[in-house]
Amino acid sequence: MEKIVKEYQVVAKEINKDRKNSLSSQTIMFNLSESFSNPKRVPGVKIKGNPIPYILSLKKTTTSGLMMSSGYGGGTANMEYMTLTGLATANFSSTMQTPFSQLVPGLARNWTFNKLFNYAVSVHPYQGIFYSRITAYAKFGFNRFYYLGSKYKITDQKRIKNNPFLSDETAYTNALRQLKNDESGTFINLVTIQNHMPYMTTDYKNYSKWLPTSVSEGTDKGTVATYTTGLTYTDKAVKQFIKQINKIQKPITVVFYGDHLPGIYNNSMAKDGTKLHETDYFIYSNTYAREHGARTLTSNTKVVSPNDFMAMVAEQTNSKVTPYLALMTKVYEDLPAVSINTGQNNSTASLQFTNSKGQVVKYSQLTKKQKRLWQDYKLVQYDLTAGKQYLYQLHMMK
């Protein structure tokens, strides 16, 4: 651990030569968009029109690409865990189904990205008990957690037609209140709920507009149409949200990502597994942030992992890094995206790498330098989650 810390202290020093800002002066929001992924990428699904025109146009002008999810139809909190800690769930035993409830409560210390900010808030317009979020967020050091039934109220509650879940408009309204009221140096973790299953054709009045002309055998067209209709409302809510944050006179950067595809496609994992684990993401910095050093990333952005986002945000906001973030920067820049095996190629390995072309890469195909970096990363993850947590004493984390 001493050797690793010394090495990445040097890497951090080198990176920071060209960085002018500090993360603690930024306002950062991670936005997990429930089940968000463009259905037109799913093999066999054909839909007329574009259900998410704004988000796709935004992706063309800012940092964006595809995120490799380790879940399909579920596993939301595991994607959250990776974005907040930088650790890959693929490195855990298969018995570790949900780190939020199985690992986090028992650790003396849990390092999370929000620890680098002056204040941290989480917003989830649903019940807080699922995935042990109330306990996990407290262990992570969040100052406030807004959820249904909490002392911090979810306001402006709206639902769309017969959808039982609160809308994305509600989620963004509550997040905007935090963005406007809190000082710079705030981290917000927003988890939406609007597009959660089940997808009933009675949810939306206009769902028939998005009935696909074809789907894979066994996939229900009405279910796909209902899900797609929900995405159109997400697209409109995101457009309004971006418009609002551009009016705020402080640097705000938002990471938007779908956590997983909905489990509605009757496709073969052996054949289409990688495609069924690709979600959409973008990282957007508001006007004020761009005027004060934020930039759009163009390298290594096509296919990423959830654990890459913290390093990407630091780079986009031109912010200095800690030794741990220096390691995460190298992982992001030099390794293919990592996920739990998607079923592609019938591999028995639990770990899967996916390159920028969406192709599965075997561990044996990595270079010697890449394998050494991956070993450093695994040792760090072991120390933080199962070992003696030496890295805190050695000043790796801040």
Side-chain angles (χ1 to χ4, degrees):
M1 291 299 106
E2 287 178 342
K3 183 179 178 182
I4 286 175
V5 171
K6 287 178 182 177
E7 178 175 350
Y8 290 99
Q9 283 175 337
V10 173
V11 175
K13 188 175 182 180
E14 187 64 27
I15 291 172
N16 291 339
K17 284 181 181 178
D18 299 319
R19 304 277 180 96
K20 296 181 180 179
N21 295 328
S22 66
L23 280 169
S24 62
S25 67
Q26 306 290 316
T27 294
I28 306 295
M29 188 174 98
F30 281 5
N31 173 199
L32 183 155
S33 185
E34 172 63 43
S35 299
F36 189 95
S37 184
N38 189 350
K40 299 187 76 166
R41 277 200 314 274
V42 176
V45 175
K46 288 185 173 57
I47 299 173
K48 291 182 179 179
N50 180 2
I52 50 172
Y54 178 75
I55 289 174
L56 291 184
S57 66
L58 188 65
K59 287 182 67 174
K60 293 178 180 179
T61 60
T62 191
T63 305
S64 68
L66 301 177
M67 185 199 86
M68 287 304 303
S69 173
S70 289
Y72 174 73
T76 298
N78 291 352
M79 304 310 114
E80 263 190 279
Y81 179 82
M82 284 189 274
T83 62
L84 294 173
T85 66
L87 304 177
T89 55
N91 278 333
F92 290 131
S93 162
S94 60
T95 59
M96 181 73 74
Q97 294 294 310
T98 311
F100 266 29
S101 55
Q102 291 175 272
L103 175 66
V104 172
L107 288 178
R109 303 177 78 171
N110 288 276
W111 186 89
T112 43
F113 189 54
N114 56 278
K115 299 279 178 67
L116 299 177
F117 297 82
N118 301 324
Y119 211 73
V121 176
S122 193
V123 179
H124 181 43
Y126 195 56
Q127 299 172 36
I129 59 172
F130 289 97
Y131 297 113
S132 302
R133 279 194 178 96
I134 296 172
T135 300
Y137 290 160
K139 294 284 285 189
F140 291 161
F142 279 90
N143 299 93
R144 287 172 283 169
F145 178 22
Y146 291 80
Y147 62 92
L148 294 182
S150 71
K151 64 178 180 179
Y152 306 110
K153 303 301 181 184
I154 297 291
T155 63
D156 302 288
Q157 296 185 21
K158 296 178 182 178
R159 291 175 174 81
I160 303 168
K161 308 301 182 185
N162 296 319
N163 187 329
F165 301 111
L166 288 172
S167 67
D168 283 357
E169 180 185 352
T170 296
Y172 289 124
T173 297
N174 281 266
L176 269 170
R177 191 171 67 251
Q178 305 307 317
L179 290 169
K180 290 176 179 178
N181 295 341
D182 295 341
E183 298 295 325
S184 293
T186 294
F187 176 83
I188 297 175
N189 184 55
L190 174 67
V191 180
T192 71
I193 192 67
Q194 174 191 291
N195 295 324
H196 200 284
M197 65 176 295
Y199 309 101
M200 310 297 291
T201 55
T202 53
D203 285 353
Y204 305 111
K205 185 178 179 180
N206 58 338
Y207 86 96
S208 59
K209 175 183 178 181
W210 297 104
L211 277 169
T213 56
S214 69
V215 292
S216 57
E217 186 178 354
T219 296
D220 182 72
K221 288 186 177 181
T223 302
V224 174
T226 300
Y227 165 71
T228 304
T229 304
L231 299 185
T232 68
Y233 287 105
T234 297
D235 193 64
K236 292 182 178 71
V238 169
K239 183 177 182 178
Q240 289 303 311
F241 177 70
I242 295 297
K243 183 179 179 180
Q244 290 299 315
I245 66 171
N246 278 329
K247 297 178 182 178
I248 301 174
Q249 294 299 300
K250 62 181 175 183
I252 300 171
T253 296
V254 176
V255 178
F256 172 100
Y257 67 99
D259 54 339
H260 54 70
L261 273 74
I264 61 176
Y265 305 110
N266 193 40
N267 292 52
S268 164
M269 282 294 171
K271 181 182 177 183
D272 302 326
T274 299
K275 289 291 183 184
L276 294 177
H277 287 79
E278 293 175 343
T279 71
D280 295 83
Y281 88 88
F282 65 78
I283 303 176
Y284 179 83
S285 295
N286 73 341
T287 303
Y288 187 93
R290 295 196 305 274
E291 290 172 349
H292 291 79
R295 53 203 178 190
T296 296
L297 308 185
T298 55
S299 300
N300 309 306
T301 58
K302 290 183 178 180
V303 181
V304 303
S305 306
N307 40 295
D308 290 328
F309 288 145
M310 59 178 66
M312 295 175 75
V313 161
E315 184 174 350
Q316 176 147 330
T317 58
N318 198 23
S319 297
K320 296 181 184 296
V321 298
T322 62
Y324 180 65
L325 283 186
L327 167 64
M328 294 310 305
T329 300
K330 299 301 290 182
V331 168
Y332 155 62
E333 291 178 344
D334 297 343
L335 287 172
V338 63
S339 65
I340 289 175
N341 191 298
T342 63
Q344 192 83 30
N345 298 334
N346 295 315
S347 172
T348 58
S350 61
L351 176 69
Q352 178 174 300
F353 293 103
T354 307
N355 66 19
S356 60
K357 297 180 180 179
Q359 300 168 329
V360 175
V361 177
K362 295 179 180 178
Y363 177 78
S364 60
Q365 294 175 289
L366 298 182
T367 66
K368 186 177 180 180
K369 182 180 177 181
Q370 286 175 316
K371 288 178 180 177
R372 182 177 176 276
L373 174 59
W374 185 249
Q375 180 65 12
D376 286 348
Y377 179 59
K378 287 201 300 181
L379 285 170
V380 165
Q381 182 161 342
Y382 178 85
D383 180 73
L384 292 174
T385 60
K388 302 288 188 179
Q389 297 194 324
Y390 292 123
L391 294 176
Y392 291 106
Q393 304 168 35
L394 298 170
H395 307 294
M396 174 82 165
M397 311 310 293
K398 61 181 182 180

